[in-house]
Structure formats: structure tokens, C-alpha cells
Amino acid sequence: MFAYTVRRLGFSLLTLWLATLLVFGALLLIPGNPAQAILGIDATPADLEALEARLGLDKPPIERYFAWLGGVLQGDLGQSIRYETSITGLIQDRLSLTLPIVVASLLLATLISVPLGILAARRAGSWVDLGVSVGALVGIVLPSFWVGLMFIYIFIVWLKLPLPTNFPIGGWENPSQALASLVLPVLTVGLASASLLVRLVRGSVLEVLNQDYVRTARAKGLAERVVVYKHALRNAALPVVTVLGLEFAQLLIATVVVETVFGIPGLGSLSLLAISARDYPLVQGVVLTVAAFIVALNLIVDLLYAALDPRVSYT
Amino acid sequence: MKRVALIALAAFAGFALAQTRGGAITVAIQTEPAAWDPTQVAGADISRVVYDNVLQGLVKRNVRGEIVPSLAERWTVSGSSLTYTFVLRRGVKFHDGTDFNAEDVVAKFNRARNPDTRASGHLRPDLYRDIASVTARDANTVVFSLRQPNQDFLFTLSRPESLIGPSGRPLPEQRVSPVGTGPFRFAGWDRGVAVRLERNPSYYVSGFPYLDRVNFRFLGDGDAQLASLRAGDLDVIAYSLLPENAVVLGRDNNFRVFSGSGTAEAVAGFNNSRAPFNNQKVRQALTLATNKDELIQGAMLGYGTKIGSMRSPGEACYVDLSNFNAYNPDQARALLAEAGFTNQNPLRFTFTVAAEFPYERRIGEALVAQFNKLGPLQVTIQVVDFNTWIQRVFTAADYAMTIIGHVEANDTSNYNNPNYYWRYNSPRFQQLYTAYLRAPTAQRACDNLGAAQRLLAEDAAGIWTMSLPALGAYRARVQNWPNSNLSPGIAVSEIWVR
């Protein structure tokens, strides 16, 4: 198990490094440069040259990349070109919003999708099942951008709930407002994720319920509750856990849509800004962070597998 | 005379009583700039926030676009138009408590005119090239000597690049937290969220500003802005309100919609140096194929003003050419046929649009639809991100046709630069423009600038689809918000809330 974990970690580091290399190369290929992005269309060539020198962009890309990598190895993600501030600090600030949104959304999604999915599976083909499936489909089809705007109109403009539409100016200085500003984003993201998960839970439970060992359990005369919750659910949980892990990693960036609607400075909008501003070190920093999360989550999912399914071995 | 003054005073006092001091407003702007010092970094949203709110210059442009005193109380111009003497306001302090005086002005303009931008960190030294010297006669008098007369000199001094900070302040600090003399001091920048301004308690105009705090929030999406405004988290959408949202808000008593003139021309620009648009006939044909009234009605729901050259109606020396080369599809087809393009052998080209600008994007899409309806034109639209647009279209001029809003005031001069992305190289225009700049009197200058506008229209150097509206909305509690704004800044010092 230990050797396995070490080997996995080694591969993870290699993956991270390859990811930064790929992203750096891709950024060099697309048109545009950070100095021009900062100065806009009224700048003269001399203005651009001066800014490029100030930002160190007059050095060759390879040199810039290795200077950045050298910093990373010492735990320093460098300075953002756009914001002229520490990238580590920027990413920490953004994660302090994105992580709570993602964790709370997935929690909400699990709380909704697992009971509903089981219910739909146990009553497959009934009206309940149809209702759950249609609801899930609607949740998947509706763009979260639109859903977010509708939530603002329904909950804030019409129902007059005391929720802010945007992350408060001054941020966490005002904790209750800051937390309140995350309620609708979590609802928006959570419902979208629940729509995806509920179909998965239903399918997975349904498949397990049709397997021989469940029939045996029933034949033994066990109560249906015990069959479902003790025997079936554990196996049905495997694919759901995998997808939850993937969904978590994906949401770190995908929340950009709701961040735009709710004016939340999260990791998604930071990555969007970094790309559109051609802020190379910042893009690298964000990619590295997200990749680290993905790698860590994969590891956790694998370990959970072992706990859920004794047949998985790590030799 | 005395009686008139008394009545005016009484009227002013009555008006002044109605105002409330204190309170805060939140204003939406579309993008988050990279920094806040317009002498170091260019960008319309920087000026919108800091111009005359935080930072001030010798003179300023007010909402009517007039150049009026700011840190200079008054000035005189010598008969030769070569010497400008500015008398500075006394008792003005920067937000950091230091005194503002002639030395700050001298240091500023010596930095501005230094051609070595790496050393100065100042944008556009070309604007200040005509300054031969700038000296302090005493602590409150500054004298500029020019090499040659320059009709744009005062305009240059009113530009955002000419705003003045304390002479000794390090540039990196001024970028992230600008210190000036304005009615508000820069209180903080929540990256990704907003900038915060706070009332300058020692502002030299007594009684101003009214508000205690003004926040400028970065909200790029028009629908998110609308939702925030309606929910009460936003007080003002200062510009680029979507026309359809303006219609909705206009019906609601809780909001006021304003739609005034601005200085932004939506220019559908040709690459004048390349076939087929190096041919005046082809450019004229495309101008004739453009139904500007339909663009204003269809794409902008009636918001926008028809123009026919590179200048907006609110600006000085404007010549109305809005009906020059007016929509005439038959003539357009005839001219295209002369150039060899017919329905069987249509002119094919790509029209590049930057995704980030909602007005220009929809106007561009509608314009391309008009072109494609004509017959002998087959135009494909290509949407790119703004950075790609800057690189490909603006810097490399690797394009056929594009559209973008030119928000700067007095930017007819862009056609004077043959290397500008339109690649318009007309010795006649350059001659007229120089004649304008060097004219001995304002009237002669205007005559030349008028002729230059007419020449652009005759050459069909671009399609000036419309002067974009200064379109926005605010909650009814916000008072005294100007209906139109020809200033680079969103000046909030005279705004108050009920």
C-alpha cells in the first residue's frame, strides 16, 4: 500500500509538470501578449516595449518558463503580470470562495440525489421514477447562467429574501453577508450537479438490484430495507464516488458561469482573466492548483474504493 | 447686477438645501483594469473611475465636453500661441497630506515628455512633443513654452494621461493605489470585486463631494448588472446598458434610464492598404450598402446617433455628414460591378469582431447581414477574443474589415497615422490635420478639421455606423446623475442620494 501510494505520487508530480508544460506551450501559440492586453489599443509601440521590459517579457519563453519553475520548486508561484501581486495569495483568496461553494454544492447534490435516486430505482417505471427522471433532465438542460439569474429574480427581487446578489465589497470583513452571498450560487451549482448525479444513482442502484447476490439476499428472506441499504448501496456507491471526485475537480473551474452571474471572484473567473490577459505565470499557477486537486482527489477516490470494495488490491 | 447676483445666490441656496450629505453608491463598470494610474496604463475604465474623482489635472473636460479649470485656476496664452501660463489653485493638498504646487506640475510634464518611456514609465510621450520647456515661475505659476502652436494643447492637458500625482511618489504604488487631489481618495481595491473611493474630507471645494463612499464594481455581464440593479445591490449602470434592458427599466418607476451623447464612434474599419479595400469605389459601395437607420433601430433599438465621419455630434468642430453616401443599394451594386464584383462573382471577405463588446458585436453582425443581402457580397463573420483582436487586427493589421468603438474624444487624428490599424495613408488628410493643429486661431483650426472630416467621408475611409449612446440607468434614489457624459470620467462629486 505504501509503495503504491509513493508510486502514485511520483506519477502525479510528473503529470503536474507535463500539464504546466502543455499549458505554457499552448499559451505561446495563441495570439496576443500580456503587455498589449494591459495597455489596450491606445498604446504606442514604445509604451509596449517599456512595459514588456518591466514585466520581463523581453526574455525568451524558455527562460521565463524555467525561472517560473525554479520558483515553484521553492514554493513560490511567482508574481501575476496582470495584478502585480503574489500568485499564491491570489489563488488562496479565490479558493477561499470556490472551495466552500464546491463542497457545499456537492454536499447538497448528494443529499438530494442519493435518496431520490434510490427512490426512483426502487420504483422503477412508476410515476415517481418518471418525475425524478424528467426533473433531472430539466436540471441538466437548463443553463446554470439562466437558472442563477432566475434565482436572483425569484428569491431576491420577488420574495425579497435578504440575500446579496454579489459577493460583498470588502469581502470577508463582513462574514454574514459574504456567507449569504454564497447561498444562491450553491443552490444553482448544487441543483445542476444533483441532476447529473440522480440519474447515475438511479442507474447504479437499479443495476445492482438486478444482480444475483441481491436476489439471494431477498431469497434468504431479508427485509427489503436491509437488502437495499446494507447490500446494494455499498456496490452502487462505487461509480457515484468516482463521479463525485471528477465533478469536484471540474467544478473548481466550471463555477465560472455562476461566478459571473453572482459577481463572485472565484478560481474560475481568475483562470478566465488569466487566459484573456495572457498572464502566463498566473495561468500556470491556476493549472497547477487544479491539477493538484485532481491528482489528490483521484488518490482519495482510489483509497475509498479499497474501503468500499475489498476486492480492490494494491499490490 | 447686484440683484441678479442675489437672486442667483438665493436660487443656489435653495437648491443646495435640497441636497443630502453622506451615503454611498455602487456603480457598475465592465472590466477590471490592470492598474489605476492612467499615466502608466491605458484603458477607458481606469479613467472612468479616477478622472476628476481621484486624480486631477490642470484642466478637465466636464460632462458637456468643455475644457474648464481644475488644478489651474486660470491661464493665459501669449499672442504667438507659444506660451501658456497657468496660475494654480492655492491651498490644495494631495490625499497623502502633502501640498500640491508648481514643482509637482513641472515634474509631471518633464516625465510625460521624456521620450525614454522605459525610464519615465509614462505613456504617449508623443502627445507632449511640442513642449519645449515647462518651468515654475513661483510656487503657484507654471509656464509652458511650445516649439510650435498646437491647437490640441489644452485638450492634451485635459487627457487622462495628463493627470497629476505627487512628484515623489513611487510609480508602482501609484499604479495600485493612486494619490491625487480629487474629491475622493482611493480607499481600496478588492481584486476581482470592486474599487472603493472615500470622501476626501479636505477637498478644496467646500461642500463637495456629497457622498461618503463610492464603489465601482466590476460586472462584465449586462444581464447580471440588470439583476443586481433590480435587487438593489447596484445603484448605477454607468454605461453600455443593453438597449433591451433600457426598455425594460424605462417602464419601471424605481429606475431612471439615461441616454445621452458620448464620444464613442462605432467604426466599421477597412484595411485601406489591401485589396479589395484599397479601392475607393469598393469602400464607397460598402458604405452605400449600409443602412445606418436600420442598424440604429434594429441592433440598438433606436439608441445611437447617425454620423458620417470620425467625430461625434457633441464634440467641438463637428460637421454633420450623416447623410453623405446614404443607403443606396442600387448604386452600391453598380459600384461593385465597376470593380468587377457581381452576384455570380461576389466579393468574399471576413469581418472580424471582438467578442467582449456587446454593442459593436451586434452592430457588426447586423451590418454583415445587410452586406450579404445585397447580392454581390459574401461576408463571413469571425468572432475572436479581444486580445487576439488587438494582436491580429490592431497591431498586425492582418484583416479585411472589422468593427470597434473608439471611445476617446477628439480622435479624428487617428486617421493621421498611416500605421494605425486602418492603414489609411492620405497625404491630403495629413496636410489638413497639420493645418488644423498649427492654425493660429480656433476658427481656422475648426475649418481645417471640418475639411478633414469631409475628406474622410469622401474617401469612404471607414463606415462610421453611429455615435454610440451613453446609455445607462440608475435607481431613483440617486440624484443629479448627468444625462450625457462627454468627460473621460464618471464624475460623482456632485451626485447625492435621497
Side-chain angles (χ1 to χ4, degrees), chain A residues 36 41 82-83 165 167 170, chain B residues 32 190 217 228 233 390 394:
Chain A
Q36 187 95 58
I41 68 172
R82 172 82 180 189
Y83 281 133
T165 52
F167 190 64
Chain B
E32 177 179 28
D190 300 356
R217 187 185 264 284
S228 265
D233 288 336
I390 288 182
F394 189 76

Side-chain angles (χ1 to χ4, degrees), chain A residues 75-137:
Chain A
D76 174 17
L77 287 175
Q79 290 271 311
S80 153
I81 292 176
R82 172 82 180 189
Y83 281 133
E84 297 187 61
T85 175
S86 143
I87 291 175
T88 316
L90 271 174
I91 291 180
Q92 275 169 358
D93 283 354
R94 301 305 180 104
L95 276 177
S96 77
L97 284 174
T98 299
L99 277 183
I101 292 179
V102 172
V103 171
S105 302
L106 287 183
L107 209 64
L108 179 71
T110 313
L111 287 178
I112 296 173
S113 62
V114 170
L116 276 182
I118 295 173
L119 186 71
R122 287 180 64 181
R123 307 214 183 146
S126 73
W127 284 104
V128 176
D129 183 25
L130 188 70
V132 169
S133 294
V134 170
L137 205 61

